[in-house]
Amino acid sequence: MENYIVLAISCIFVNNILLAQYLGNCPFLGTSKKMETAVGMAMAVIFVLVMAGIMAWITTNYFLKPLNLEYLTTISYILVIASLVQFVEMFLKKSIPALYSGLGIFLPLITTNCAVLGVCLINLKEDYTFLQAVVASFSYAVGYGLALVLFAGLRERINIARVPQPLQDTSLGLVTAGMLSLAFFAFKGMA
Amino acid sequence: MREMISMVVVLTVLSAVSGGMLAGVRMGTKTRIENQVLKFQKAPAIKAILKNVTNDPLKDRFNIKDKNQEVTFFLGKHDGKPTDIAFETHGQGHEGPIGLMVGIDINSDKIVGVRVTTTTETPGMGTRANGDSPFAAQFAGKPLTTVFKVKTDGGSIDVMSGATVTSRGICVAATEAKDIYMRLKPEIKKKIAKM
Amino acid sequence: MAQSIAKEFTKGLWEEIPPFRLVLGLCPTLAVTKSVDTAIGMGVGLTFVLVCSNMIISLLRKIIPDKVRIACYIVVIAAFVTVVELVMQAFTYPLYLKLGIFIPLIVVNCIVLGRAEAFAGKNPVLPSIADGLGMGIGYTLSLTALAAIRECFGAGTLLGTPVFGPWFHPFTFMVQAPGAFVCLGLMLCIMNIIGSK
């Protein structure tokens, strides 16, 4: 039990997927201009990442490893993720329209969110057991959501400020992300 | 309906062709990749452990199937007589598996030396197990009857300060090496006799 | 014809140079620019994938049904990425170890899929190859420039050789995660200043 808590904390804070491992930056900058979209994206990522983590683990351990097809990892992971996203989208549209209206527009974006594929590959590299993989996927996703929401808060504040023209938008966004990353850097001391 | 069929057909054909192409590339690069892994990951550790051999252990290697995995053994000879073998085992560290190359003297059943091959531990902490560390030196010369455990767990190995988990992981890998060697000893002897 | 192909090629080098003008493919931009060698390795790998996938997708653009085009694109891209992965493992193993999971992650690099969707899916083969090559080289140049700055100040070296005298104390911040963000942000700002003139 203790191990899982350590793993979760390390994935959320110390090895934060966005700010320490640089994964999933495109949607990070794209959807963080408003708090509302940031929360929506964060939810969608948590949802998809946990499922993708589970599916990827099953794919590796029940198909690729027994058949010695490890070199097909990349192609099969991305197919699993793409079809998963498609499936989730259809399922939500039919069964839970309320949730779909909230998450819907973010779902197609997630296929190309490198955080999802990245976490699946990290789980593979670390050789996690099933439970570890689930905990790690969930914690990475929570870390992603946390960073996204925090960053959206900062950005909403910046929008009111007067920024020199060349620094506007993405440029200052990146510098701000750097500051946030510096704050998360302090968690390294905990390890 | 026609659209559906064409969608399925195109996707299937595309996946099959890509799969086939990759299988081809894989076949073409397989031996090269194995050699590269040997050269960059295992060779330095093997050379460091089997210092006094006169042959090239990388060339004199053989595989034995153990349970559900293949173990690769590297044979060290001295003046044409086989003296030591080295092989790799794994233990769990803080942030992932630790690979440990273990050298065993096949005549006296003693550990010749151990070396960490792959580790993802925090730089500066677990990585102290690399190279000629006093920690790794503790294993050298120990007979295989020793219980490899850190002192806090009732064993005889001093931990690296601040890196207890890594130290434990290495002990687990060393114990596994011992078990594998004991289990496969008859087969190892048979293989060596043929070489 | 030759003129338009040249145009598709050169636009990737300045007008639409990724990742500055097209803010796509940021993750590897931040992660592999700690040192120049990894940046060049990544750039070459990406260029190869971009050119090959643009070529194949452009060839197949009339056969691929519209509804599953993204899935088809991804399959083609993933296949070429795996080729790069295997070849790097076989020939430049130390580089492969350094780039780690960022090689398979080329699959989800928005630039590759973005070019497939925006260009190769609609244009003939030759311009698509030119587009891929231009974008790939532009991306490599940007990565190398960023990596040169970061390695130079962050580690005091360039391609592993020291550039400053022994008095230089490396500004480690630059090679760590926060430095990556700040450095890229400032470079974008400089590009904006140059571009607005």
Side-chain angles (χ1 to χ4, degrees), chain A residues 71-72 75 79 125-127, chain B residues 18 22-23 26 95-97:
Chain A
Y71 61 96
L72 291 179
I75 200 165
L79 278 178
K125 200 177 114 225
E126 301 286 337
D127 219 358
Chain B
S18 330
L22 290 180
R26 163 81 185 162
E95 293 174 25

Side-chain angles (χ1 to χ4, degrees), chain C residues 62-86:
Chain C
K62 297 226 170 73
I63 309 171
I64 294 176
D66 203 43
K67 274 192 184 150
V68 287
R69 66 177 193 287
I70 300 287
C72 294
Y73 295 169
I74 287 181
V75 171
V76 172
I77 295 167
F80 284 113
V81 169
T82 313
V83 170
V84 169
E85 201 179 345
L86 289 170

Side-chain angles (χ1 to χ4, degrees), chain A residues 124-136:
Chain A
L124 174 71
K125 200 177 114 225
E126 301 286 337
D127 219 358
Y128 282 146
T129 61
F130 181 70
L131 212 55
Q132 276 175 320
V134 174
V135 172

Side-chain angles (χ1 to χ4, degrees), chain A residues 11-12 46 49-50 119 132-144:
Chain A
C11 294
I12 297 178
I46 294 177
L49 228 172
V50 174
V119 167
Q132 276 175 320
V134 174
V135 172
S137 310
F138 179 69
S139 319
Y140 274 128
V142 169
Y144 188 90

Side-chain angles (χ1 to χ4, degrees), chain A:
Chain A
M1 193 59 218
E2 193 195 338
N3 282 342
Y4 291 114
I5 295 172
V6 171
L7 179 69
I9 290 177
S10 126
C11 294
I12 297 178
F13 297 109
V14 185
N15 292 318
N16 187 287
I17 189 85
L18 243 174
L19 299 169
Q21 314 226 30
Y22 324 91
L23 294 174
N25 274 297
C26 309
F28 175 57
L29 290 167
T31 57
S32 61
K33 283 179 189 160
K34 276 202 200 110
M35 190 53 107
E36 235 169 275
T37 45
V39 172
M41 185 71 183
M43 288 307 181
V45 166
I46 294 177
F47 197 66
V48 172
L49 228 172
V50 174
M51 294 183 71
I54 294 171
M55 294 300 290
W57 194 89
I58 293 172
T59 312
T60 301
N61 287 282
Y62 286 95
F63 295 101
L64 301 178
K65 271 194 186 157
L67 297 173
N68 262 329
L69 288 174
E70 272 121 334
Y71 61 96
L72 291 179
T73 300
T74 313
I75 200 165
S76 44
Y77 273 22
I78 192 73
L79 278 178
V80 164
I81 293 170
S83 40
L84 183 74
V85 169
Q86 200 84 49
F87 179 75
V88 168
E89 198 181 344
M90 288 194 304
F91 175 76
L92 285 185
K93 207 174 190 174
K94 283 234 171 82
S95 323
I96 324 175
L99 194 58
Y100 179 77
S101 62
L103 301 185
I105 51 163
F106 302 107
L107 284 171
L109 276 177
I110 288 185
T111 312
T112 53
N113 184 336
C114 37
V116 179
L117 183 60
V119 167
C120 296
L121 290 167
I122 292 173
N123 287 349
L124 174 71
K125 200 177 114 225
E126 301 286 337
D127 219 358
Y128 282 146
T129 61
F130 181 70
L131 212 55
Q132 276 175 320
V134 174
V135 172
S137 310
F138 179 69
S139 319
Y140 274 128
V142 169
Y144 188 90
L146 181 70
L148 193 61
V149 171
L150 281 177
F151 188 58
L154 286 177
R155 257 189 137 173
E156 280 197 337
R157 175 69 189 78
I158 290 172
N159 280 345
I160 317 170
R162 275 166 47 122
V163 178
Q165 223 253 317
L167 256 177
Q168 267 168 13
D169 213 27
T170 322
S171 180
L172 193 66
L174 279 165
V175 176
T176 319
M179 298 303 150
L180 196 58
S181 162
L182 197 60
F184 268 73
F185 211 61
F187 289 115
K188 289 247 176 197
M190 274 175 18

